[in-house]
């Protein structure tokens, strides 16, 4: 087995220019992530978590430094090549679900395959919805689903293309603790099936599912700690 990491960041900087001033969103971040890890990224608001996720997800490029994905320097790729990598290898889940409002669950899940021109789209979308236990709600529109169900649709959309890596930015930020635990168990199942999961959270209870916790402070890694995951055991719900 090669010990080449799935993801390697080498001294990554992201500097935003705001008129005269500069914001140092990431300041020399180096990070290796291996296939099969379940990584939580923590840190206070403004510490650079979303910026880091955008770079890991090939939605944005570093100002300086290198990002190697399976050994390939993404700095050498065109925007079209990056878009192809996003579509094939990465799945995204957001705090606000980002579903199309007037579109059924199954059509939302089909969307990434529409972009890639994949075949058997409705069968594959249905399979993905069944994996998140929403097979019986496939015709429902987002407004006809609870928050937890909407996030499950979004997770089905993220995994329908069978990506190696799922990136989730505060996926439980809008959900209560019981529903959050259900969502985390779904991520754990995909992690058990070999997918690499990277999620941003500011809740310790959510980070407890991860096998490793990276904490950012002012655009730098403050700590990087492996931990025994509470993997797929429901968290205690305080009522
Ligand atoms: P977090 O997700 O940890 O709250 P962000 O990565 O969103 O932090 O932001 C890190 C810093 O970069 C913050 O100071 C934020 O204001 C700044 N920032 C983020 N995105 C932009 C942008 N597009 N333009 C200018 N500044 C930005
Ligand atoms: Mg953020």
């Amino acid at each position: 087995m090669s010990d080449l990491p799935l993801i390697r960041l080498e001294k990554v900087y992201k500097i935003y220019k705001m008129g005269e001033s500069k914001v140092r969103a990431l300041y020399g971040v180096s990070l290796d992530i291996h296939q099969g890890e379940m990584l939580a990224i923590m840190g206070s608001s403004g510490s650079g978590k979303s910026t880091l996720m955008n770079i890991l997800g090939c939605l944005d490029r570093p100002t300086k430094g290198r990002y190697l994905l399976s050994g390939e320097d993404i700095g050498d790729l065109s925007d079209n090549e990056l878009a192809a990598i996003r579509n094939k290898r990465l799945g995204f889940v957001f705090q606000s679900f980002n579903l199309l409002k007037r579109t059924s669950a199954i059509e939302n899940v089909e969307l990434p395959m529409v972009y890639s021109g994949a075949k058997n789209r409705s069968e594959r979308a249905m399979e993905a919805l069944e994996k998140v236990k929403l097979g019986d709600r496939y015709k429902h529109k987002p407004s006809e689903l609870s928050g937890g169900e909407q996030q499950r649709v979004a997770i089905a959309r993220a995994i329908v293309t069978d990506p190696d890596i799922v990136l989730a930015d505060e996926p439980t930020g809008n959900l209560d603790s019981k529903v959050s635990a259900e969502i985390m168990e779904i991520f754990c199942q995909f992690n058990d099936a070999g997918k690499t999961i990277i999620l941003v959270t500011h809740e310790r209870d959510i980070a407890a599912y991860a096998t490793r916790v990276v904490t950012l402070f002012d655009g730098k890694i403050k700590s990087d700690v492996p931990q025994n995951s509470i993997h797929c055991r429901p968290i205690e719900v305080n009522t």
Side-chain angles (χ1 to χ4, degrees), residues 16 63 67 78 81 96 101 116 125 128 131 176 197 209 238:
Y16 293 108
T63 309
Y67 173 10
S78 69
E81 287 168 325
S96 52
K101 299 234 166 346
S116 66
K131 283 185 187 157
D176 68 38
I197 312 280
Y209 287 86
N238 299 320

Side-chain angles (χ1 to χ4, degrees), residues 46 49-51 169-170 200:
K49 304 181 298 295
S50 294
T51 304
D169 196 346
E170 309 237 16
V200 165

Side-chain angles (χ1 to χ4, degrees), residues 14-18 22-26 41-54 60 169-170 200 216 218-219:
K14 184 74 194 181
I15 316 282
Y16 293 108
K17 287 207 177 75
M18 302 284 288
K22 286 180 182 171
V23 180
R24 305 182 337 183
L26 292 177
I41 299 171
M42 299 193 77
S44 52
S45 178
S47 59
K49 304 181 298 295
S50 294
T51 304
L52 178 59
M53 289 295 264
N54 289 345
D60 203 355
D169 196 346
E170 309 237 16
V200 165
L216 294 179
D218 275 357

Side-chain angles (χ1 to χ4, degrees), residues 16 48 52 54-55 59 62 78 84 101 106 115 128 154 159 168 195 212 229-230 235-236:
Y16 293 108
L52 178 59
N54 289 345
I55 287 176
L59 294 161
S78 69
K101 299 234 166 346
I106 189 162
Y115 298 137
I159 55 103
K195 294 203 188 304
R212 177 179 168 197
S229 166
I230 62 162
I235 55 175
E236 294 288 318

Side-chain angles (χ1 to χ4, degrees), residues 25-37:
L26 292 177
Y27 207 72
V29 169
S30 296
L31 182 65
D32 280 0
I33 303 171
H34 289 86
Q35 170 89 45
E37 285 199 79

